[in-house]
Amino acid sequence: MSKLPVISGAECVKVLEQIGFTIARQRGSHIILVREDPRTTVSIPDHKELDRGTLRSIIRQIGLNVDEFIELL
């Protein structure tokens, strides 16, 4: 398994948009993205740096592994 990169919330949103997520809404510093097939909702904090645990949780929620996510960067 590759080491998780340090990325911002905005960079994470760009990656998720590549795989079919769209921005549904934003409340404060959290951006809510939705994908229709399969139906998935994920919340991304719009911070300068995402914590490793937060990023790993997001990757797990969207059904990818770390290596697949890194390729999309």
Side-chain angles (χ1 to χ4, degrees):
M1 183 186 312
S2 297
K3 185 176 178 184
L4 278 173
V6 176
I7 64 171
S8 69
E11 291 172 318
C12 186
V13 168
K14 287 179 185 177
V15 169
L16 296 184
E17 287 177 331
Q18 290 177 17
I19 59 171
F21 282 87
T22 57
I23 297 175
R25 61 189 178 278
Q26 180 171 351
R27 181 162 185 169
S29 66
H30 286 74
I31 302 168
I32 311 300
L33 292 105
V34 178
R35 177 176 60 189
E36 291 303 321
D37 189 36
R39 180 74 176 168
T40 310
T41 303
V42 65
S43 174
I44 309 295
D46 190 19
H47 299 160
K48 290 182 182 178
E49 289 184 3
L50 295 179
D51 290 335
R52 284 191 195 107
T54 303
L55 182 56
R56 190 174 302 278
S57 175
I58 291 167
I59 293 170
R60 201 175 302 125
Q61 288 176 36
I62 62 174
L64 296 178
N65 63 39
V66 175
D67 294 324
E68 292 169 338
F69 185 82
I70 291 172
E71 287 178 18
L72 293 171
L73 287 174

